[in-house]
Amino acid sequence: MKIYNTEQVRRADSYTIQNEPISSLYLMERAATSAFNWIRNKFKKKTTFSIFCGAGNNGGDGLVIARLLQQAGYSVRVYEVQFSRRSSEDNLINKARLQDLKIPIITLFSDSDFSKIEYGNVIIDAIFGSGLTQSVKGWIGELIAELNNQPIKRIAIDIASGLFVENNDENTGIIFMPNFTLTFEFPKLAFMFPSNDEFVGEFMVLPIGISEEYIFLEPTKHFTIETFTAKIILKKRSKFDYKGTYGHALIMAGSSGKMGAAVLAVKAALKSGTGLVTAHIPNSGNDIMQISVPEVMTWTDYQSAFLSELKETDSFSSIGIGPGIGKKKETQQLLHLVLKTYKKPMVIDADALNILSENKEWLKLIPKGSIITPHLGEWKRLVGESVGGYSQLESAKLFAEKYSINLVLKGAHTAVVCSNGEVFFNTTGNPGMATAGSGDVLTGILTGLLAQRYKPLQAAILGVYIHGLAGDIALKKESRESLVASDIINHLGEAFQKLNK
């Protein structure tokens, strides 16, 4: 799914109005009806809604929702937030329709009018929409803060009032804090950043019939990874294939006390479909690995507690390095040698990234097309602090372009950042996956997909999607608190089955 900026969304509406053709008023009706249908399915008839509407088209959406809820038998209270003496034409028409139905509208002019507000069970925010360009302050900011303080459910229509569509790193205003955001046709870039989480809540993308021709023709560099994307990437298998068809992966992982990381990465590589997997591990970890994963071959280091030596690597289809390797001087030298000698795309994670953060001159040695997978802490060690999510994404784009790599920024909506500036945000996964070893599993999956000769970008997109999907399947049998990394591996089979249907 494409992610568009404010101007592109405006053009999408205009193109649809001109080419369907329909009126802007009817497009508003369609959008609000889509939101109303979601609300009706979520809340019982006894629910009372307090709907706050601004003067623009976002306010117009709120007025239509109010009318539809009232007609459906819900109790509705409508508040007109008068921040401008000029309302949009469609807003005025829908205001008149409410008045014709004898639905009272209470106008708020300043903070002195707050006493007029009677709260129900749910607040609906339709004050400011996606066209907002200035931080919200003054009495309307105080109103939004008052709404945020109410201990009831809150819904934002299209986008929370006060939140900019893209860059909020220097947004100093008050922002509505919804439990749910009902956005229209396209997700907003701002929804993808952890720093905006409390201003988005759970978001739903609702279809409103925007022109498919426009969506096809209008370019963007921001996308979400959907099921159909993963299905297109996933290769079909032939009955005449054999283990050599699916490559030979080398996982370089583990150190004393951290052999679990190696076991998880190796298991995940095998469960992702790799034909052969060899584990380069410290000597003392051989029994652990052979007992834990009988399908893997081992290449034991002469060092007992950490990795230090490098043998021939050209015969391996892919290499994944980093889980649990530590930062011993000898291990750092090993990583340096691997980067200098291995020429195919590889996966770099965990302690390998921590080593690179202390030896940044080695970054230029990373093979072109490689996949690096930092979590937030590792990313900060690599490039330093960012002001916020948008700045962090921009620095990631520059980093990926500079070193010609694919950068996987892990977290909710994991971002796959390509060297050409394109970004793919993942749509699978859950908070239960924030657990030790989850990243090691992802390293194994990505290394396994590279071994199967997926192109690096395909491997990154499919890998993060299947990783999150397995976690979602596991969550149906576990809880957010109890889910562990092994659960993700154990449900990779079901995840692949879903994509093969």
Side-chain angles (χ1 to χ4, degrees), residues 436-452:
S438 180
D440 304 323
V441 173
L442 179 60
T443 295
I445 294 170
L446 295 172
T447 307
L449 293 174
L450 280 183
Q452 295 169 66

Side-chain angles (χ1 to χ4, degrees), residues 36 49 51 64-78 98 101-104:
F36 159 72
F49 292 92
I51 306 177
V64 178
I65 292 168
R67 168 166 48 85
L68 295 174
L69 285 170
Q70 179 83 4
Q71 291 172 332
Y74 290 90
S75 178
V76 175
R77 297 164 184 157
V78 181
L98 277 187
L101 293 171
K102 309 301 183 185
I103 300 173

Side-chain angles (χ1 to χ4, degrees), residues 72-93:
Y74 290 90
S75 178
V76 175
R77 297 164 184 157
V78 181
Y79 299 90
E80 180 184 28
V81 183
Q82 190 65 266
F83 58 78
S84 172
R85 293 294 180 181
R86 299 178 61 184
S87 298
S88 73
E89 182 178 348
D90 292 344
N91 182 296
L92 290 172
I93 291 172

Side-chain angles (χ1 to χ4, degrees), residues 109-250:
F109 292 100
S110 68
D111 55 358
S112 62
D113 292 323
F114 289 3
S115 59
K116 300 177 183 178
I117 300 173
E118 294 182 52
Y119 292 105
N121 308 110
V122 178
I123 291 169
I124 296 180
D125 160 40
I127 302 173
F128 296 110
S130 59
L132 187 70
T133 57
Q134 294 184 335
S135 298
V136 177
K137 298 181 179 180
W139 77 268
I140 298 179
E142 292 175 17
L143 171 63
I144 292 173
E146 167 74 12
L147 301 183
N148 289 339
N149 285 332
Q150 297 305 310
I152 55 180
K153 294 292 184 185
R154 295 183 291 273
I155 300 172
I157 302 302
D158 198 33
I159 189 169
S161 290
L163 187 67
F164 301 142
V165 169
E166 293 184 286
N167 186 0
N168 289 273
D169 290 355
E170 297 180 3
N171 186 349
T172 58
I174 305 299
I175 304 172
F176 186 70
M177 298 166 63
N179 301 99
F180 308 100
T181 295
L182 308 182
T183 199
F184 299 131
E185 205 68 57
F186 316 103
K188 309 295 190 282
L189 185 62
F191 296 174
M192 303 299 151
F193 303 136
S195 50
N196 297 332
D197 181 41
E198 63 184 338
F199 309 125
V200 180
E202 182 182 352
F203 73 87
M204 276 61 62
V205 180
L206 304 179
I208 63 171
I210 290 297
S211 167
E212 291 183 5
E213 182 179 37
Y214 176 87
I215 296 171
F216 177 76
L217 294 174
E218 181 68 20
T220 182
K221 289 203 166 184
H222 298 136
F223 307 85
T224 58
I225 307 170
E226 307 293 337
T227 302
F228 74 87
T229 315
K231 284 188 171 185
I232 290 170
I233 294 172
L234 184 64
K235 295 179 179 181
K236 303 304 178 186
R237 295 197 165 206
S238 167
K239 66 179 180 179
F240 294 108
D241 293 340
Y242 69 107
K243 63 184 179 184
T245 306
Y246 301 113
H248 189 174
L250 174 64

Side-chain angles (χ1 to χ4, degrees), residues 392-409:
Q392 184 182 83
L393 182 64
E394 291 302 299
S395 67
K397 290 179 184 178
L398 292 173
F399 191 95
E401 179 183 9
K402 180 177 180 179
Y403 297 109
S404 298
I405 60 170
N406 297 286
L407 176 59
V408 175
L409 279 175

